[in-house]
């Protein structure tokens, strides 16, 4: 099974990918980790490095790829996916989740790969707005190409149903 998950920052992409990975025994990959080499310092990968890394991932028999990226280098992850899950949650839900994540990170309940500051929360709000204005229209067009592959989640309560459906294989 090949699953692609997309949604705004804070929509729950990584959480859903981890749950599906545990349930199905399928490895999951974050597009942020394809874009960035995260070692002692963060270094952005070149286009050819991103393309090669993504190619290695999508050539595996099963995978879950989550991330907001919809640039040309990431398109094969949509084409090759059996299922594409679009987390299209209400803005208030996403903002709540972003604030909750920030608090957990400040309390060291949850780790972060970036410096935890109010400036970063503002940046995430900016990215959420950017997603609505730039990425969402691209997603809507992409959905029309292969509508049968797309599952759109508009409420957090729908995630449990999606997990059960994928687990029972009714969807593929």
């Amino acid at each position: 099974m090949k699953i692609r998950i997309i949604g705004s920052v804070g929509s729950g992409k990584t959480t859903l990918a981890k749950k599906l990975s545990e349930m199905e025994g399928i490895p999951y990959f974050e597009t942020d980790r394809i874009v960035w080499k995260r070692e002692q310092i963060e270094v952005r990968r070149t286009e050819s490095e991103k393309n090669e890394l993504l190619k290695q991932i999508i050539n595996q028999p099963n995978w879950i790829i989550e991330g907001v990226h919809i640039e040309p280098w990431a398109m094969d992850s949509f084409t090759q996916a059996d299922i594409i899950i679009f987390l299209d949650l209400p803005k208030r839900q996403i903002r709540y989740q972003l604030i909750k994540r920030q608090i957990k990170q400040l309390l060291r309940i949850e780790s972060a790969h970036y410096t935890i500051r109010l400036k970063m929360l503002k940046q995430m709000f900016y990215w959420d707005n950017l997603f609505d204005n730039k990425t969402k229209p691209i997603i809507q067009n992409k959905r029309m190409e292969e509508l049968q592959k797309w599952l759109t989640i508009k409420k957090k309560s729908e995630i449990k149903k999606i997990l059960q459906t994928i687990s029972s294989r009714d969807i593929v």
Side-chain angles (χ1 to χ4, degrees), residues 3-139:
I3 302 170
R4 179 61 160 91
I5 303 170
I6 189 164
S8 184
V9 61
S11 63
K13 298 177 300 294
T14 305
T15 302
L16 179 57
K18 285 178 183 177
K19 283 181 183 172
L20 283 170
S21 177
E22 289 171 12
M23 283 173 45
E24 300 299 315
I26 299 172
Y28 82 92
F29 304 90
E30 301 171 35
T31 59
D32 279 351
R33 295 199 183 268
I34 296 172
V35 172
W36 297 98
K37 290 180 197 174
R38 291 194 171 134
E39 295 163 6
Q40 282 87 2
I41 59 167
E42 280 194 339
V43 178
R44 185 181 284 273
R45 294 183 203 274
T46 65
E47 287 300 307
S48 62
E49 288 174 321
K50 289 186 284 191
N51 286 326
E52 183 56 35
L53 189 51
L54 182 64
K55 187 177 177 182
Q56 290 173 17
I57 293 167
I58 63 174
N59 283 336
Q60 296 179 32
N62 298 294
W63 46 257
I64 300 165
I65 298 174
E66 67 84 4
V68 69
H69 299 92
I70 198 158
E71 295 88 351
W73 68 265
M75 282 303 141
D76 280 348
S77 65
F78 291 92
T79 308
Q80 299 296 320
D82 300 313
I83 303 166
I84 303 167
I85 301 171
F86 174 30
L87 297 175
D88 189 17
L89 302 178
K91 186 167 286 305
R92 70 184 178 285
Q93 178 69 46
I94 289 172
R95 297 293 166 97
Y96 169 78
Q97 289 175 187
L98 287 171
I99 293 167
K100 184 175 151 186
R101 177 197 294 169
Q102 185 87 4
I103 292 168
K104 284 181 173 183
Q105 291 170 345
L106 283 168
L107 296 173
R108 308 242 187 273
I109 296 170
E110 191 175 290
S111 64
H113 58 270
Y114 48 83
T115 306
I116 304 158
R117 294 188 183 138
L118 183 58
K119 184 178 178 182
M120 181 53 83
L121 183 61
K122 287 180 183 178
Q123 184 68 39
M124 289 183 183
F125 283 8
Y126 168 78
W127 289 331
D128 180 43
N129 286 332
L130 191 63
F131 181 86
D132 284 348
N133 297 326
K134 301 253 179 173
T135 307
K136 218 173 194 178
I138 295 168
I139 290 171

